[in-house]
Amino acid sequence: MNITDIRIRKTYESERLRALVSVTIDGDLAVHDLKVISGPERLFVAMPSRRDEGGIFRDIVHPISPAAREQLEAAVLSAYDEYLAQQQAESEFEG
């Protein structure tokens, strides 16, 4: 899997939801609404999902292998950290 672009679309100050992210794979496939979530021990990435007829949330798209999930999560969390650092630097520069 070649992740060619990651965009942090929106950040939040809520307790759990930290960001909405879009990812482009191989320059050909865009996946929107990945969520950066603050878990009990660490940040993690939740896949886009929707509620089925039974009220259960099901992923719309997801990595097939654990290695692919780890690669995607590491890339998204790295981009999120870089985004926050950039926002902090801009805030300090303006202030």
Side-chain angles (χ1 to χ4, degrees):
M1 176 171 56
N2 183 26
I3 300 169
T4 52
D5 189 38
I6 299 174
R7 296 186 189 245
I8 309 300
R9 293 191 2 230
K10 187 171 184 177
T11 58
Y12 299 90
E13 297 295 323
S14 74
E15 240 178 76
R16 291 191 36 115
L17 179 61
R18 297 300 174 94
L20 282 179
V21 179
S22 293
V23 174
T24 304
I25 299 169
D26 291 326
D28 293 323
L29 177 68
V31 180
H32 301 289
D33 294 336
L34 283 82
K35 296 175 185 93
V36 175
I37 304 286
S38 178
E41 297 178 15
R42 65 178 185 88
L43 292 175
F44 67 94
V45 176
M47 297 297 115
S49 62
R50 67 178 182 168
R51 192 181 311 231
D52 68 11
E53 305 83 32
I56 298 171
F57 282 95
R58 303 230 182 250
D59 288 349
I60 295 169
V61 62
H62 59 87
I64 297 299
S65 70
R69 180 173 294 277
E70 289 172 14
Q71 178 188 0
L72 179 63
E73 185 169 80
V76 168
L77 293 178
S78 176
Y80 176 68
D81 288 342
E82 289 174 21
Y83 178 87
L84 291 180
Q86 179 183 355
Q87 295 299 315
Q88 179 69 27
E90 289 175 7
S91 174
E92 290 173 0
F93 180 72
E94 292 173 357

Coordinates of all heavy atoms in Angstrom, one line a residue:
M1 N 0.9 -1.2 0.0 CA 0.0 0.0 0.0 C 0.9 1.2 0.0 O 1.8 1.4 0.9 CB -0.9 0.0 1.2 CG -1.8 1.2 1.4 SD -3.0 1.1 2.7 CE -2.0 0.7 4.1
N2 N 0.7 2.1 -1.0 CA 1.5 3.3 -1.1 C 0.6 4.5 -0.7 O -0.3 4.9 -1.6 CB 2.0 3.4 -2.5 CG 2.9 4.6 -2.7 OD1 3.5 5.1 -1.7 ND2 3.0 5.1 -3.9
I3 N 0.7 5.0 0.4 CA -0.1 6.2 0.9 C 0.6 7.4 0.3 O 1.7 7.8 0.6 CB -0.2 6.3 2.4 CG1 -0.8 5.0 2.9 CG2 -0.9 7.5 2.8 CD1 -0.7 4.9 4.4
T4 N -0.1 8.1 -0.7 CA 0.4 9.2 -1.4 C 0.1 10.6 -0.8 O 0.7 11.6 -1.2 CB 0.1 9.1 -2.9 OG1 -1.3 9.0 -3.0 CG2 0.8 7.9 -3.5
D5 N -1.0 10.7 0.0 CA -1.4 11.9 0.6 C -2.2 11.7 1.8 O -3.0 10.8 1.9 CB -2.2 12.8 -0.4 CG -2.4 14.2 0.0 OD1 -1.5 14.8 0.6 OD2 -3.5 14.7 -0.2
I6 N -2.0 12.5 2.8 CA -2.8 12.5 4.0 C -3.1 14.0 4.3 O -2.3 14.8 4.4 CB -2.0 11.9 5.2 CG1 -1.7 10.5 4.9 CG2 -2.9 12.0 6.5 CD1 -0.8 9.8 6.0
R7 N -4.4 14.2 4.5 CA -4.9 15.6 4.8 C -5.7 15.6 6.1 O -6.6 14.8 6.3 CB -5.8 16.1 3.7 CG -5.0 16.3 2.4 CD -5.8 17.0 1.4 NE -5.0 16.9 0.1 CZ -4.5 17.9 -0.5 NH1 -4.7 19.1 0.0 NH2 -3.8 17.8 -1.6
I8 N -5.2 16.4 7.0 CA -6.0 16.6 8.3 C -7.0 17.6 7.9 O -6.8 18.8 7.7 CB -5.1 17.1 9.4 CG1 -3.8 16.3 9.6 CG2 -5.9 17.3 10.7 CD1 -4.1 14.8 9.9
R9 N -8.3 17.2 7.8 CA -9.4 18.1 7.4 C -9.9 18.9 8.5 O -10.3 20.1 8.2 CB -10.5 17.3 6.7 CG -10.0 16.6 5.4 CD -11.1 16.0 4.6 NE -12.4 16.1 5.1 CZ -13.3 15.1 5.3 NH1 -13.0 13.9 5.0 NH2 -14.5 15.4 5.8
K10 N -10.0 18.4 9.7 CA -10.6 19.2 10.8 C -10.1 18.6 12.1 O -9.9 17.4 12.2 CB -12.1 19.1 10.8 CG -12.8 20.0 11.7 CD -14.3 20.1 11.5 CE -14.9 21.1 12.5 NZ -16.3 21.3 12.3
T11 N -9.8 19.5 13.1 CA -9.4 19.0 14.4 C -10.4 19.4 15.4 O -11.2 20.4 15.2 CB -8.0 19.6 14.8 OG1 -8.0 21.0 14.8 CG2 -6.9 19.1 13.9
Y12 N -10.4 18.7 16.5 CA -11.4 18.9 17.6 C -10.7 19.0 18.9 O -9.7 18.4 19.1 CB -12.4 17.8 17.6 CG -13.2 17.6 16.3 CD1 -12.8 16.8 15.3 CD2 -14.4 18.3 16.1 CE1 -13.5 16.7 14.1 CE2 -15.1 18.2 14.9 CZ -14.7 17.4 13.9 OH -15.4 17.2 12.8
E13 N -11.3 19.7 19.8 CA -10.8 19.8 21.2 C -11.6 18.9 22.1 O -11.5 19.0 23.3 CB -10.9 21.2 21.7 CG -10.1 22.2 20.9 CD -8.6 21.9 21.0 OE1 -8.1 21.5 22.1 OE2 -7.9 22.0 20.0
S14 N -12.5 18.0 21.6 CA -13.3 17.1 22.4 C -12.5 16.1 23.1 O -11.3 15.9 22.9 CB -14.4 16.4 21.5 OG -13.8 15.4 20.8
E15 N -13.1 15.4 24.1 CA -12.4 14.5 24.9 C -11.8 13.3 24.1 O -10.7 12.9 24.3 CB -13.3 13.9 25.9 CG -12.9 14.1 27.3 CD -13.9 13.6 28.3 OE1 -13.9 12.3 28.5 OE2 -14.6 14.4 28.9
R16 N -12.6 12.8 23.1 CA -12.1 11.6 22.4 C -11.8 11.9 20.9 O -10.7 11.5 20.5 CB -13.2 10.5 22.4 CG -13.4 9.9 23.8 CD -14.2 8.7 23.8 NE -14.0 7.9 22.7 CZ -13.5 6.7 22.6 NH1 -13.2 6.1 23.7 NH2 -13.4 6.0 21.5
L17 N -12.7 12.5 20.2 CA -12.4 12.7 18.8 C -11.4 13.9 18.6 O -11.7 15.0 19.1 CB -13.7 13.1 18.0 CG -13.6 13.4 16.5 CD1 -13.0 12.2 15.8 CD2 -15.0 13.8 16.0
R18 N -10.3 13.6 17.9 CA -9.3 14.6 17.8 C -9.2 15.2 16.4 O -8.8 16.4 16.2 CB -7.9 14.1 18.2 CG -7.8 13.6 19.6 CD -8.1 14.8 20.6 NE -8.2 14.5 21.9 CZ -7.2 14.5 22.8 NH1 -6.0 14.9 22.4 NH2 -7.4 14.2 24.0
A19 N -9.5 14.4 15.3 CA -9.3 14.9 14.0 C -10.1 14.0 13.0 O -10.3 12.8 13.2 CB -7.9 14.9 13.6
L20 N -10.5 14.6 11.9 CA -11.0 13.9 10.7 C -9.9 14.0 9.6 O -9.4 15.1 9.4 CB -12.3 14.5 10.2 CG -13.6 14.2 11.0 CD1 -14.8 15.0 10.3 CD2 -13.8 12.7 11.0
V21 N -9.7 12.9 9.0 CA -8.6 12.8 8.1 C -9.0 12.1 6.8 O -9.9 11.3 6.7 CB -7.4 11.9 8.7 CG1 -6.3 11.8 7.8 CG2 -7.0 12.5 10.1
S22 N -8.4 12.6 5.7 CA -8.6 12.0 4.4 C -7.2 11.4 3.9 O -6.2 12.0 4.1 CB -9.1 13.0 3.3 OG -10.4 13.4 3.6
V23 N -7.3 10.2 3.3 CA -6.0 9.5 2.9 C -6.2 9.2 1.4 O -7.3 8.8 1.0 CB -5.8 8.3 3.7 CG1 -4.6 7.5 3.2 CG2 -5.6 8.6 5.2
T24 N -5.1 9.4 0.6 CA -5.1 9.0 -0.8 C -4.1 7.8 -0.9 O -3.0 7.9 -0.4 CB -4.7 10.1 -1.7 OG1 -5.6 11.2 -1.5 CG2 -4.8 9.7 -3.2
I25 N -4.6 6.8 -1.6 CA -3.7 5.6 -1.8 C -3.4 5.4 -3.2 O -4.3 5.5 -4.1 CB -4.5 4.3 -1.3 CG1 -4.7 4.5 0.3 CG2 -3.6 3.1 -1.5 CD1 -5.7 3.5 0.8
D26 N -2.1 5.3 -3.5 CA -1.6 5.2 -4.9 C -2.0 6.3 -5.8 O -2.0 6.1 -7.0 CB -2.0 3.8 -5.5 CG -1.3 2.6 -4.8 OD1 -0.1 2.8 -4.3 OD2 -1.9 1.6 -4.6
G27 N -2.3 7.4 -5.3 CA -2.8 8.6 -6.1 C -4.1 8.3 -6.8 O -4.5 9.1 -7.7
D28 N -4.8 7.2 -6.5 CA -5.9 6.8 -7.2 C -7.2 6.6 -6.4 O -8.3 6.6 -6.9 CB -5.7 5.4 -7.9 CG -4.7 5.5 -9.0 OD1 -4.6 6.5 -9.7 OD2 -3.9 4.6 -9.2
L29 N -7.1 6.4 -5.1 CA -8.2 6.1 -4.3 C -8.2 7.0 -3.0 O -7.2 7.0 -2.3 CB -8.2 4.6 -3.8 CG -9.3 4.2 -2.9 CD1 -10.6 4.2 -3.6 CD2 -9.0 2.8 -2.3
A30 N -9.2 7.8 -2.8 CA -9.3 8.6 -1.6 C -10.3 8.0 -0.6 O -11.4 7.5 -1.0 CB -9.8 10.0 -2.0
V31 N -9.9 8.0 0.6 CA -10.7 7.5 1.7 C -10.9 8.7 2.7 O -9.9 9.2 3.2 CB -10.1 6.3 2.4 CG1 -10.9 5.8 3.6 CG2 -9.8 5.2 1.4
H32 N -12.1 9.1 2.9 CA -12.4 10.2 3.8 C -13.0 9.7 5.1 O -13.5 8.6 5.2 CB -13.5 11.1 3.1 CG -13.0 11.6 1.8 ND1 -12.0 12.6 1.6 CD2 -13.4 11.3 0.5 CE1 -11.9 12.8 0.4 NE2 -12.7 12.1 -0.4
D33 N -12.9 10.6 6.0 CA -13.6 10.4 7.4 C -12.9 9.4 8.2 O -13.6 8.8 9.1 CB -15.1 10.2 7.3 CG -15.8 11.4 6.7 OD1 -15.3 12.5 6.8 OD2 -16.9 11.2 6.1
L34 N -11.6 9.2 8.1 CA -10.9 8.4 9.1 C -10.9 9.3 10.3 O -10.8 10.5 10.2 CB -9.5 8.1 8.7 CG -9.3 7.0 7.7 CD1 -9.6 7.4 6.3 CD2 -7.9 6.4 7.8
K35 N -10.9 8.7 11.5 CA -11.0 9.5 12.7 C -9.8 9.2 13.6 O -9.4 8.1 13.8 CB -12.3 9.2 13.5 CG -13.5 9.6 12.8 CD -14.7 9.2 13.6 CE -16.0 9.4 12.8 NZ -16.4 8.3 12.0
V36 N -9.1 10.3 14.1 CA -8.1 10.2 15.1 C -8.8 10.3 16.5 O -9.5 11.2 16.7 CB -7.0 11.2 15.0 CG1 -6.0 11.1 16.1 CG2 -6.3 11.1 13.7
I37 N -8.7 9.2 17.2 CA -9.5 9.1 18.5 C -8.5 8.9 19.6 O -7.5 8.2 19.5 CB -10.4 7.8 18.5 CG1 -11.3 7.8 17.3 CG2 -11.1 7.6 19.8 CD1 -12.4 8.7 17.4
S38 N -8.8 9.6 20.7 CA -8.0 9.5 21.9 C -8.5 8.3 22.8 O -9.6 8.4 23.3 CB -8.0 10.8 22.8 OG -7.3 10.6 23.9
G39 N -7.8 7.2 22.8 CA -8.2 6.1 23.6 C -7.7 6.1 25.0 O -7.0 7.1 25.4
P40 N -7.9 5.1 25.8 CA -7.5 5.1 27.2 C -6.0 5.2 27.4 O -5.5 5.8 28.3 CB -8.1 3.8 27.8 CG -8.9 3.2 26.7 CD -8.7 3.9 25.5
E41 N -5.3 4.6 26.4 CA -3.8 4.6 26.6 C -3.1 5.3 25.5 O -1.9 5.7 25.6 CB -3.3 3.1 26.6 CG -3.9 2.4 27.8 CD -3.5 0.9 27.8 OE1 -2.6 0.6 27.0 OE2 -4.1 0.2 28.5
R42 N -3.7 5.5 24.3 CA -3.0 6.2 23.2 C -4.0 6.6 22.1 O -5.2 6.3 22.2 CB -2.0 5.2 22.5 CG -2.7 4.0 21.9 CD -1.7 3.0 21.2 NE -2.4 2.0 20.5 CZ -2.8 2.1 19.2 NH1 -2.6 3.1 18.5 NH2 -3.5 1.0 18.7
L43 N -3.5 7.4 21.2 CA -4.3 7.8 20.0 C -4.4 6.6 19.1 O -3.4 5.8 19.0 CB -3.6 8.9 19.3 CG -3.6 10.3 20.0 CD1 -2.8 11.3 19.1 CD2 -5.0 10.8 20.3
F44 N -5.5 6.5 18.4 CA -5.6 5.4 17.4 C -6.5 6.0 16.2 O -7.1 7.0 16.4 CB -6.2 4.1 17.9 CG -7.6 4.2 18.4 CD1 -8.7 3.9 17.6 CD2 -7.9 4.6 19.7 CE1 -10.0 3.9 18.0 CE2 -9.2 4.7 20.1 CZ -10.3 4.3 19.3
V45 N -6.5 5.2 15.1 CA -7.2 5.6 13.9 C -8.4 4.7 13.8 O -8.3 3.5 13.7 CB -6.3 5.6 12.7 CG1 -7.1 5.9 11.4 CG2 -5.2 6.6 12.9
A46 N -9.6 5.3 13.7 CA -10.9 4.6 13.4 C -11.2 4.7 12.0 O -11.2 5.8 11.4 CB -12.0 5.1 14.3
M47 N -11.7 3.7 11.4 CA -12.1 3.7 10.0 C -13.5 4.3 9.8 O -14.2 4.3 10.7 CB -12.1 2.3 9.4 CG -10.7 1.6 9.4 SD -9.6 2.4 8.3 CE -8.4 2.9 9.5
P48 N -13.7 4.8 8.6 CA -15.1 5.4 8.3 C -16.1 4.2 8.5 O -15.9 3.1 8.1 CB -15.0 5.8 6.9 CG -13.7 5.6 6.4 CD -12.9 4.9 7.4
S49 N -17.2 4.6 9.1 CA -18.3 3.5 9.4 C -19.6 4.1 9.2 O -19.8 5.4 9.2 CB -18.1 2.9 10.8 OG -18.2 3.9 11.7
R50 N -20.6 3.2 9.2 CA -22.0 3.7 9.3 C -22.8 2.7 10.0 O -22.4 1.5 10.2 CB -22.6 3.9 7.9 CG -22.7 2.6 7.1 CD -23.4 2.9 5.7 NE -23.5 1.7 5.0 CZ -24.2 1.6 3.9 NH1 -24.8 2.6 3.4 NH2 -24.3 0.4 3.4
R51 N -24.0 3.1 10.5 CA -24.8 2.2 11.3 C -25.7 1.3 10.4 O -26.3 1.8 9.5 CB -25.7 3.1 12.2 CG -26.4 2.3 13.3 CD -27.3 3.2 14.1 NE -26.6 4.4 14.6 CZ -26.5 4.8 15.8 NH1 -27.1 4.1 16.8 NH2 -25.8 5.9 16.1
D52 N -25.7 0.0 10.7 CA -26.5 -0.9 9.9 C -28.0 -0.9 10.4 O -28.3 -0.2 11.4 CB -25.9 -2.3 9.8 CG -25.9 -3.0 11.1 OD1 -26.6 -2.6 12.1 OD2 -25.3 -4.1 11.1
E53 N -28.8 -1.7 9.9 CA -30.2 -1.8 10.3 C -30.4 -2.2 11.7 O -31.4 -1.8 12.4 CB -31.0 -2.8 9.4 CG -30.9 -2.5 7.9 CD -29.7 -3.1 7.3 OE1 -29.2 -4.1 7.7 OE2 -29.2 -2.5 6.3
G54 N -29.5 -2.9 12.2 CA -29.5 -3.4 13.6 C -28.9 -2.4 14.6 O -28.8 -2.7 15.8
G55 N -28.5 -1.3 14.1 CA -27.9 -0.3 15.0 C -26.4 -0.5 15.3 O -25.8 0.2 16.1
I56 N -25.8 -1.4 14.6 CA -24.4 -1.7 14.8 C -23.5 -0.9 13.8 O -23.9 -0.9 12.6 CB -24.1 -3.2 14.7 CG1 -24.8 -4.0 15.8 CG2 -22.6 -3.5 14.8 CD1 -24.8 -5.5 15.6
F57 N -22.5 -0.3 14.3 CA -21.6 0.4 13.4 C -20.7 -0.6 12.7 O -20.1 -1.4 13.3 CB -20.8 1.5 14.1 CG -21.5 2.7 14.4 CD1 -22.1 2.8 15.7 CD2 -21.7 3.7 13.5 CE1 -22.9 4.0 16.0 CE2 -22.4 4.8 13.8 CZ -23.0 5.0 15.0
R58 N -20.6 -0.4 11.3 CA -19.7 -1.3 10.5 C -18.8 -0.4 9.7 O -19.2 0.6 9.1 CB -20.6 -2.1 9.6 CG -21.6 -3.0 10.3 CD -21.6 -4.4 9.8 NE -22.6 -5.2 10.5 CZ -22.3 -6.1 11.4 NH1 -21.1 -6.4 11.7 NH2 -23.3 -6.8 11.9
D59 N -17.5 -0.9 9.6 CA -16.5 -0.1 8.8 C -17.0 -0.2 7.3 O -17.4 -1.2 6.8 CB -15.2 -0.7 8.9 CG -14.5 -0.5 10.3 OD1 -15.0 0.4 11.0 OD2 -13.5 -1.1 10.5
I60 N -16.9 1.0 6.7 CA -17.1 1.0 5.2 C -15.9 0.6 4.5 O -16.0 -0.1 3.4 CB -17.5 2.5 4.8 CG1 -18.8 2.9 5.5 CG2 -17.6 2.6 3.3 CD1 -19.1 4.4 5.4
V61 N -14.7 0.9 5.0 CA -13.5 0.5 4.4 C -12.5 0.2 5.5 O -12.6 0.8 6.6 CB -12.9 1.6 3.4 CG1 -12.7 2.9 4.2 CG2 -11.7 1.2 2.7
H62 N -11.6 -0.7 5.3 CA -10.7 -1.1 6.3 C -9.5 -1.8 5.8 O -9.6 -2.5 4.7 CB -11.3 -1.9 7.5 CG -11.9 -3.1 7.0 ND1 -11.2 -4.3 7.0 CD2 -13.1 -3.5 6.6 CE1 -12.0 -5.3 6.5 NE2 -13.2 -4.8 6.3
P63 N -8.3 -1.7 6.4 CA -7.2 -2.5 6.0 C -7.5 -4.0 6.2 O -8.1 -4.4 7.1 CB -6.0 -2.1 6.9 CG -6.5 -0.8 7.5 CD -8.0 -0.9 7.5
I64 N -7.0 -4.9 5.3 CA -7.2 -6.3 5.4 C -6.3 -7.0 6.4 O -6.7 -7.8 7.2 CB -7.1 -7.0 4.0 CG1 -8.1 -6.4 3.1 CG2 -7.2 -8.5 4.1 CD1 -9.6 -6.6 3.5
S65 N -5.0 -6.6 6.4 CA -4.0 -7.2 7.2 C -3.6 -6.3 8.4 O -3.7 -5.1 8.3 CB -2.8 -7.6 6.4 OG -2.1 -6.4 6.1
P66 N -3.1 -7.0 9.5 CA -2.6 -6.2 10.6 C -1.5 -5.3 10.2 O -1.4 -4.1 10.6 CB -2.1 -7.2 11.6 CG -3.0 -8.4 11.3 CD -3.2 -8.4 9.8
A67 N -0.6 -5.7 9.3 CA 0.5 -4.9 8.8 C 0.0 -3.7 8.1 O 0.5 -2.6 8.2 CB 1.4 -5.7 7.9
A68 N -1.0 -3.8 7.2 CA -1.6 -2.7 6.5 C -2.2 -1.7 7.5 O -2.1 -0.5 7.4 CB -2.6 -3.2 5.5
R69 N -2.9 -2.2 8.5 CA -3.5 -1.3 9.5 C -2.4 -0.6 10.3 O -2.5 0.6 10.5 CB -4.3 -2.1 10.5 CG -5.0 -1.3 11.6 CD -6.0 -2.0 12.5 NE -7.1 -2.5 11.8 CZ -8.2 -1.7 11.5 NH1 -8.2 -0.5 11.9 NH2 -9.2 -2.3 10.9
E70 N -1.4 -1.2 10.6 CA -0.3 -0.6 11.3 C 0.4 0.5 10.5 O 0.7 1.6 11.0 CB 0.8 -1.6 11.8 CG 0.3 -2.5 12.9 CD 1.3 -3.6 13.2 OE1 2.5 -3.6 12.7 OE2 0.9 -4.6 13.9
Q71 N 0.6 0.2 9.2 CA 1.2 1.2 8.3 C 0.3 2.4 8.1 O 0.7 3.5 8.2 CB 1.4 0.5 6.9 CG 2.0 1.5 5.9 CD 2.0 0.9 4.5 OE1 1.6 -0.2 4.2 NE2 2.4 1.7 3.5
L72 N -1.0 2.2 8.0 CA -2.0 3.3 7.8 C -2.0 4.1 9.1 O -2.0 5.3 9.0 CB -3.3 2.7 7.4 CG -4.4 3.8 7.3 CD1 -4.1 4.7 6.1 CD2 -5.8 3.1 7.0
E73 N -2.2 3.4 10.2 CA -2.3 4.2 11.5 C -1.0 5.0 11.8 O -1.1 6.1 12.2 CB -2.6 3.2 12.6 CG -2.8 3.9 13.9 CD -3.3 3.0 15.0 OE1 -2.5 2.3 15.6 OE2 -4.6 3.0 15.2
A74 N 0.2 4.4 11.5 CA 1.4 5.1 11.8 C 1.5 6.3 10.9 O 1.9 7.4 11.3 CB 2.6 4.2 11.5
A75 N 1.1 6.2 9.6 CA 1.2 7.3 8.7 C 0.2 8.4 9.1 O 0.6 9.6 9.1 CB 0.9 6.9 7.3
V76 N -1.0 8.1 9.5 CA -2.0 9.1 9.8 C -1.6 9.8 11.1 O -1.7 11.0 11.2 CB -3.4 8.4 10.0 CG1 -4.4 9.4 10.6 CG2 -3.9 8.0 8.6
L77 N -1.2 9.0 12.1 CA -0.8 9.6 13.4 C 0.5 10.5 13.3 O 0.6 11.6 13.9 CB -0.6 8.6 14.5 CG -1.8 7.8 14.9 CD1 -1.5 6.8 15.9 CD2 -2.9 8.8 15.4
S78 N 1.4 10.1 12.4 CA 2.6 10.9 12.1 C 2.1 12.3 11.5 O 2.6 13.3 11.8 CB 3.5 10.2 11.2 OG 4.6 11.0 10.9
A79 N 1.2 12.2 10.5 CA 0.8 13.4 9.8 C 0.0 14.3 10.8 O 0.1 15.5 10.8 CB -0.1 13.0 8.6
Y80 N -0.8 13.7 11.7 CA -1.5 14.4 12.7 C -0.5 15.2 13.7 O -0.7 16.3 14.0 CB -2.4 13.5 13.5 CG -3.1 14.1 14.7 CD1 -4.1 15.1 14.4 CD2 -2.8 13.8 16.0 CE1 -4.8 15.7 15.5 CE2 -3.5 14.4 17.0 CZ -4.5 15.3 16.8 OH -5.2 15.9 17.8
D81 N 0.5 14.5 14.1 CA 1.5 15.1 15.0 C 2.2 16.2 14.3 O 2.5 17.3 14.9 CB 2.6 14.1 15.4 CG 2.0 13.1 16.4 OD1 1.0 13.4 17.1 OD2 2.7 12.0 16.6
E82 N 2.6 16.1 13.0 CA 3.2 17.1 12.2 C 2.3 18.3 12.1 O 2.7 19.5 12.2 CB 3.6 16.6 10.8 CG 4.8 15.7 10.9 CD 5.1 15.1 9.5 OE1 4.7 15.6 8.5 OE2 5.7 14.0 9.5
Y83 N 1.0 18.1 11.8 CA 0.0 19.1 11.7 C -0.1 19.9 13.0 O -0.1 21.2 13.0 CB -1.4 18.5 11.3 CG -2.5 19.5 11.3 CD1 -2.7 20.2 10.1 CD2 -3.3 19.8 12.3 CE1 -3.7 21.1 10.0 CE2 -4.3 20.7 12.3 CZ -4.5 21.4 11.1 OH -5.5 22.3 11.0
L84 N -0.2 19.2 14.1 CA -0.2 19.9 15.4 C 1.0 20.8 15.7 O 0.9 21.9 16.2 CB -0.4 18.9 16.6 CG -1.8 18.2 16.6 CD1 -1.8 17.2 17.8 CD2 -2.9 19.2 16.7
A85 N 2.2 20.2 15.3 CA 3.5 21.0 15.5 C 3.5 22.2 14.6 O 3.9 23.3 15.1 CB 4.6 20.1 15.2
Q86 N 3.0 22.1 13.4 CA 2.9 23.2 12.5 C 2.0 24.3 13.0 O 2.3 25.5 13.0 CB 2.5 22.8 11.1 CG 2.4 23.9 10.1 CD 1.9 23.4 8.8 OE1 1.7 22.2 8.5 NE2 1.7 24.4 7.9
Q87 N 0.8 23.9 13.5 CA -0.2 24.8 14.1 C 0.4 25.5 15.3 O 0.3 26.7 15.5 CB -1.4 24.1 14.5 CG -2.2 23.5 13.3 CD -2.6 24.5 12.3 OE1 -3.1 25.6 12.7 NE2 -2.4 24.3 11.1
Q88 N 1.2 24.8 16.1 CA 1.8 25.4 17.3 C 2.9 26.4 16.9 O 2.9 27.5 17.5 CB 2.4 24.3 18.2 CG 3.1 24.8 19.4 CD 2.2 25.3 20.5 OE1 1.0 25.0 20.5 NE2 2.6 26.3 21.3
A89 N 3.7 26.0 15.9 CA 4.7 27.0 15.4 C 4.1 28.2 14.9 O 4.6 29.3 15.1 CB 5.6 26.3 14.4
E90 N 3.0 28.1 14.1 CA 2.4 29.3 13.5 C 1.8 30.1 14.6 O 1.8 31.4 14.5 CB 1.3 28.8 12.5 CG 1.8 28.3 11.2 CD 0.7 27.7 10.3 OE1 -0.5 27.9 10.6 OE2 1.1 27.1 9.3
S91 N 1.2 29.5 15.6 CA 0.6 30.2 16.7 C 1.7 31.0 17.5 O 1.5 32.2 17.9 CB -0.1 29.3 17.7 OG -0.5 29.9 18.8
E92 N 2.8 30.4 17.7 CA 3.9 31.1 18.4 C 4.5 32.2 17.6 O 4.9 33.3 18.1 CB 5.0 30.1 18.8 CG 4.6 29.1 19.9 CD 5.6 28.0 20.1 OE1 6.7 28.0 19.4 OE2 5.4 27.2 21.0
F93 N 4.5 32.0 16.2 CA 5.1 33.0 15.3 C 4.2 34.3 15.3 O 4.6 35.4 15.3 CB 5.2 32.5 13.9 CG 5.7 33.4 12.9 CD1 7.1 33.8 13.0 CD2 4.9 34.0 12.0 CE1 7.6 34.7 12.0 CE2 5.4 34.9 11.1 CZ 6.7 35.3 11.1
E94 N 2.9 34.0 15.4 CA 1.9 35.1 15.3 C 1.8 35.8 16.7 O 1.5 37.0 16.7 CB 0.5 34.6 14.9 CG 0.4 34.1 13.5 CD -0.9 33.4 13.2 OE1 -1.8 33.3 14.1 OE2 -1.1 33.0 12.0
G95 N 2.1 35.1 17.7 CA 1.9 35.7 19.1 C 3.1 36.4 19.5 O 3.4 37.3 20.0

